[in-house]
Amino acid sequence: EAQVTQNPRYLITVTGKKLTVTCSQNMNHEYMSWYRQDPGLGLRQIYYSMNVEVTDKGDVPEGYKVSRKEKRNFPLILESPSPNQTSLYFCASSLSIGGFRAFFGQGTRLTVV
Amino acid sequence: KQEVTQIPAALSVPEGENLVLNCSFTDSAIYNLQWFRQDPGKGLTSLLLIQSSQREQTSGRLNASLDKSSGRSTLYIAASQPGDSATYLCAVVSSNTGKLIFGQGTTLQVKP
């Protein structure tokens, strides 16, 4: 089954404790991206990657890192999480940038206390 | 800067009604427009994708139209059912930046 898989689905952590949210897709997609969803602000792009070893900042990249060492994986790293990073996070992929359908993971609900 | 707006923010209808959700965008330089469905606490499911050169797409009881010149799209849901209750998100892929830009969504409740 074609899918985007995120882990974990739920995470509660403390301020400053490094964490990684994993994202994996099995569709051989080139384009992958991370979003956060907040009430009243909608979905905002954090980082995106057009292919292996190619990543770029989205609209709200501060406090986040990403890497794309393999085509299928695109982990999101929070080096020193803060409470304002409490949010619902989504990973997405599509065949390429442009006119292709986007597939989303099930989301990771992160709470930073 | 591309902005996407969805009206109304919330909608409640009785079962069986036909309904229309609206989406507008400010910049016509788009690759495509996509409609998604999001159930509470869940991920986004792609419903329909309309390429910039197309006028409409249909899937079952759903029909989406696109008028790129006026910056508008509508999602028509025929014979609504309680299972259609969800948040519907419209998004455009900018042909300038390649980014997927979302509207705030319309939360639909279909009452039995």
Side-chain angles (χ1 to χ4, degrees):
Chain A
E1 180 189 355
Q3 59 185 3
V4 178
T5 304
Q6 291 178 231
N7 280 297
R9 292 287 314 279
Y10 303 92
L11 180 60
I12 300 174
T13 191
V14 297
T15 299
K17 185 176 181 182
K18 181 179 178 179
L19 66 92
T20 299
V21 183
T22 64
C23 174
S24 180
Q25 50 92 4
N26 63 0
M27 296 167 279
N28 202 35
H29 285 172
E30 290 186 348
Y31 188 84
M32 298 185 73
S33 56
W34 277 100
Y35 297 83
R36 60 178 290 174
Q37 186 176 35
D38 302 288
L41 296 175
L43 278 146
R44 295 176 293 167
Q45 192 181 58
I46 303 170
Y47 266 95
Y48 65 95
S49 169
M50 289 197 279
N51 214 325
V52 176
E53 302 292 1
V54 181
T55 63
D56 210 344
K57 297 177 181 178
D59 297 315
V60 287
E62 294 78 21
Y64 304 94
K65 285 176 58 178
V66 293
S67 69
R68 187 91 182 272
K69 296 177 182 173
E70 306 166 280
K71 199 171 190 178
R72 63 183 292 127
N73 297 322
F74 190 45
L76 179 70
I77 303 158
L78 284 72
E79 294 270 3
S80 183
S82 62
N84 65 11
Q85 293 178 298
T86 293
S87 186
L88 180 59
Y89 291 86
F90 290 102
C91 178
S93 75
S94 61
L95 190 60
S96 182
I97 201 167
F100 299 99
R101 188 180 298 264
F103 293 80
F104 279 75
Q106 286 294 92
T108 296
R109 185 165 293 282
L110 172 65
T111 302
V112 183
V113 298
Chain B
K1 181 185 174 185
Q2 177 75 271
E3 292 182 0
V4 180
T5 304
Q6 291 186 247
I7 295 173
L11 183 62
S12 181
V13 300
E15 182 177 5
E17 276 205 4
N18 301 325
L19 56 98
V20 174
L21 307 182
N22 296 294
C23 172
S24 62
F25 49 95
T26 55
D27 187 348
S28 62
I30 63 171
Y31 281 123
N32 64 49
L33 183 142
Q34 301 182 44
W35 282 94
F36 295 89
R37 168 183 173 139
Q38 185 177 24
D39 293 286
K42 300 281 183 68
L44 281 69
T45 300
S46 178
L47 297 173
L48 289 164
L49 181 151
I50 312 176
Q51 301 290 358
S52 62
S53 58
Q54 296 176 321
R55 297 285 292 185
E56 67 177 327
Q57 281 287 331
T58 298
S59 176
R61 294 182 293 108
L62 305 179
N63 175 274
S65 68
L66 173 64
D67 184 342
K68 198 173 76 163
S69 60
S70 68
R72 294 177 190 276
S73 175
T74 61
L75 179 66
Y76 175 83
I77 302 176
S80 59
Q81 303 170 357
D84 294 331
S85 299
T87 296
Y88 292 82
L89 293 155
C90 162
V92 298
V93 177
S94 167
S95 56
N96 293 323
T97 65
K99 290 183 181 179
L100 189 61
I101 300 165
F102 285 86
Q104 296 270 5
T106 294
T107 298
L108 171 66
Q109 182 185 32
V110 181
K111 297 178 180 177

